[in-house]
């Protein structure tokens, strides 16, 4: 099954509306408006230091906009009270760049953390859910291993299993294939596509890896000079008359070749 973008016919799961982001006096993003639609893989890309991860941090509530707002599931995040924020945050999964696994806990115990923190499920039910999530990321035989015993690709899958533990409809991934070899990158891309198709997940992926972008992106959001310069499909990006967008792919493809 492939994603068919229906634009305005679908209600966004999340929105950045006229968002300006800054670190102190240094403005990183200015007047960014971006919608995230159900069932798509949206790739946020741009040059190093352009503000990709900063935008992701705003979407997951780690940074407050200087101006503008973030909407999640139709709610303005920064106007919600704590109980409502807790309810909303359980509908979001996050795969951090390094996996962010606790080194002293087994893979299964890491995946169980959100279930222990946000539910009243019994240990038996939690264990069943953990086993299911590990099967979904093809790590069913690794539940007793420590993070130090996992390969780089396995750590990324483990982080993804934890991100999926509460069955969120929306998952954010920060550089999921960074540091992986081409074969492991391919396998992780294949898994992300499978999760979108089989679970109906919406995935927002921050990356600069053009090989992955070509494989998985339904839509692209390109950031440059603190602005959202382009949104559209990969084909539209490759044919864009915006020089920085076109050059991004040309330079990246030349480096791979």
């Amino acid at each position: 099954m492939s994603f068919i973008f229906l634009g305005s016919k679908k209600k966004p799961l999340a929105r950045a509306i006229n968002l300006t982001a800054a670190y102190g006096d240094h403005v990183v993003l200015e007047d960014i408006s971006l919608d995230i639609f159900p069932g798509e893989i949206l790739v946020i890309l741009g040059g190093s230091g352009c503000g990709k991860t900063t935008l992701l941090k705003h979407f997951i509530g780690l940074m407050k906009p200087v101006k503008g707002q973030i909407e999640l599931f139709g709610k303005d995040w920064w106007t919600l009270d704590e109980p409502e924020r807790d309810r909303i945050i359980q509908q979001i999964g996050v795969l951090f760049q390094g996996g962010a696994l606790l080194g002293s806990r087994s893979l299964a115990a890491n995946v169980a953390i959100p279930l222990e923190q946000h539910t009243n499920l019994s240990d038996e039910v939690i264990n069943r859910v953990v086993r299911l999530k590990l099967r979904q990321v093809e790590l069913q035989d690794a539940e007793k291993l420590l993070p130090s015993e996992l390969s780089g690709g396995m750590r990324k899958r483990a982080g993804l299993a934890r991100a999926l533990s509460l069955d969120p409809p929306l998952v954010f991934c920060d550089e999921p294939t960074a540091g992986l070899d081409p074969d492991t990158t391919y396998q992780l891309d294949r898994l992300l596509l499978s999760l979108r198709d089989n679970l109906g997940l919406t995935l927002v992926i921050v990356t600069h890896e053009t090989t992955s972008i070509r494989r998985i992106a339904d839509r692209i959001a390109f950031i440059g000079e603190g602005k959202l310069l382009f949104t559209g499909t990969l084909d539209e990006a490759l044919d864009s008359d915006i020089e920085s967008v076109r050059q991004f792919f040309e330079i990246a493809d030349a480096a791979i070749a």
Side-chain angles (χ1 to χ4, degrees):
M1 182 176 74
S2 59
F3 172 83
I4 299 175
F5 179 62
L6 298 176
S8 60
K9 294 181 181 179
K10 287 193 172 187
K11 184 177 181 180
L13 292 184
R15 308 182 72 195
I17 304 171
N18 303 124
L19 180 144
T20 294
Y23 295 97
D25 295 330
H26 176 55
V27 175
V28 179
L29 300 171
E30 187 172 6
D31 199 26
I32 299 284
S33 292
L34 178 64
D35 291 345
I36 300 168
F37 292 97
E40 72 172 336
I41 296 180
L42 172 67
V43 173
I44 300 174
L45 57 88
S48 178
C50 72
K52 303 185 295 293
T53 298
T54 297
L55 180 57
L56 183 147
K57 287 179 178 179
H58 281 76
F59 271 121
I60 63 177
L62 293 180
M63 289 184 68
K64 185 176 183 178
V66 173
K67 296 180 181 177
Q69 64 191 71
I70 291 290
E71 284 189 3
L72 297 168
F73 307 101
K75 306 284 188 177
D76 182 348
W77 173 257
W78 291 101
T79 65
L80 301 177
D81 58 24
E82 284 302 318
E84 185 71 3
R85 282 191 188 180
D86 187 62
R87 187 185 69 80
I88 293 291
I89 208 68
Q90 291 180 50
Q91 299 180 65
I92 294 172
V94 182
L95 171 57
F96 295 99
Q97 186 172 152
L101 302 173
L102 296 180
S104 61
R105 300 188 65 163
S106 69
L107 173 51
N110 269 281
V111 176
I113 290 172
L115 295 161
E116 295 167 347
Q117 292 180 338
H118 295 290
T119 76
N120 294 316
L121 297 175
S122 67
D123 290 344
E124 180 183 355
V125 174
I126 286 176
N127 289 337
R128 267 189 270 157
V129 173
V130 167
R131 286 194 292 271
L132 171 62
K133 297 308 169 185
L134 291 176
R135 282 199 302 273
Q136 287 177 341
V137 301
E138 301 168 2
L139 285 177
Q140 59 269 23
D141 297 324
E143 62 180 86
K144 295 181 180 180
L145 297 180
L146 294 172
S148 60
E149 298 174 298
L150 304 176
S151 67
M154 291 172 73
R155 282 194 293 272
K156 296 295 180 75
R157 287 171 182 263
L160 185 56
R162 187 177 60 192
L164 297 174
S165 61
L166 294 173
D167 292 321
L170 177 59
V171 177
F172 294 89
C173 305
D174 188 14
E175 300 282 2
T177 59
L180 302 182
D181 62 74
D183 182 62
T184 305
T185 295
Y186 171 79
Q187 296 299 329
L188 186 56
D189 288 343
R190 180 187 60 80
L191 175 61
L192 293 172
L193 288 168
S194 175
L195 292 171
R196 179 203 64 187
D197 294 344
N198 295 326
L199 300 182
L201 281 183
T202 301
L203 294 157
V204 180
I205 298 174
V206 171
T207 186
H208 64 278
E209 304 279 354
T210 56
T211 302
S212 287
I213 293 166
R214 291 177 182 276
R215 270 196 292 258
I216 68 176
D218 293 312
R219 260 197 323 142
I220 287 169
F222 188 94
I223 298 174
E225 300 176 356
K227 304 283 189 178
L228 181 61
L229 300 181
F230 171 87
T231 57
T233 66
L234 173 64
D235 288 342
E236 290 169 342
L238 295 175
D239 291 337
S240 173
D241 58 2
I242 301 172
E243 184 176 0
S244 57
V245 175
R246 198 171 56 253
Q247 282 186 346
F248 176 90
F249 288 96
E250 290 174 353
I251 292 171
D253 290 345
I256 294 172

